[in-house]
Amino acid sequence: MDIPQKSNDKPAIQKLSQLSLGPTITTHDRFRLAPTEQVKLAATAISLNVRLRSSDMPLHMQERALNYTRSLLDDSDSAPKSLPKFNPTHLARALKKEFDTLYGPAWHCVVGTSFGSFVTHSPGGFVYFSVDSLSILLFKTEVLLVKEPGA
């Protein structure tokens, strides 16, 4: 497949997106990546053996999610046999804590091999990707403080 030459040509950008991220990727207009960013993200995903499924998130945050997940999975693979085997709940907790720390509350993470979801997320706070047969859904919701009456 030829790589498109014009960056302002919509069909060419769509063709590049399919080439680099696969035909199933869904992005929202708010964070539509430039062709060079699409290629960079695709290279990251390929090098980490990750398949990006859907996102509404800036590039640097997507890269952080993919890299951090891969490092956690690699650490669990190289752990001594005396330690417990990989646990999806531990991965979900670690991703949630990492994103809460870096990008503020309230992040939610679902990790598993088979699940359905339908979530509402804050703008710029959603990514869904898979590593082998493991799927990861990471999203942010807005937190509003509730004040007691008369306080």
Side-chain angles (χ1 to χ4, degrees):
M1 178 183 284
D2 294 330
I3 295 178
Q5 298 299 316
K6 291 182 179 179
S7 63
N8 60 354
D9 183 18
K10 241 184 179 178
I13 292 173
Q14 184 178 14
K15 193 174 182 182
L16 178 62
S17 175
Q18 290 175 347
L19 170 68
S20 58
L21 297 176
T24 60
I25 184 70
T26 305
T27 57
H28 298 269
D29 287 336
R30 164 177 45 251
F31 290 104
R32 186 151 316 270
L33 300 176
T36 54
E37 291 176 318
Q38 290 178 9
V39 171
K40 182 179 178 191
L41 185 58
T44 300
I46 289 168
S47 71
L48 298 173
N49 195 27
V50 172
R51 182 165 184 162
L52 190 57
R53 304 280 182 173
S54 182
S55 71
D56 176 19
M57 185 178 279
L59 175 66
H60 71 280
M61 293 171 72
Q62 291 181 60
E63 288 179 327
R64 181 64 187 158
L66 301 181
N67 283 311
Y68 192 64
T69 299
R70 174 46 69 193
S71 71
L72 291 170
L73 291 171
D74 288 349
D75 287 348
S76 72
D77 287 345
S78 62
K81 291 183 181 180
S82 60
L83 292 177
K85 192 171 161 96
F86 166 77
N87 182 336
T89 304
H90 294 154
L91 176 59
R93 182 184 311 127
L95 271 170
K96 183 225 180 326
K97 283 184 167 188
E98 177 76 359
F99 271 67
D100 277 344
T101 301
L102 292 175
Y103 307 111
W107 287 89
H108 312 274
C109 189
V110 180
V111 177
T113 56
S114 178
F115 61 86
S117 67
F118 193 86
V119 301
T120 301
H121 63 86
S122 297
F126 176 88
V127 66
Y128 176 51
F129 59 98
S130 60
V131 180
D132 300 323
S133 63
L134 194 65
S135 295
I136 297 101
L137 171 63
L138 179 65
F139 64 99
K140 183 176 185 168
T141 57
E142 187 174 349
V143 176
L144 299 175
L145 297 177
V146 178
K147 294 183 180 181
E148 291 186 28

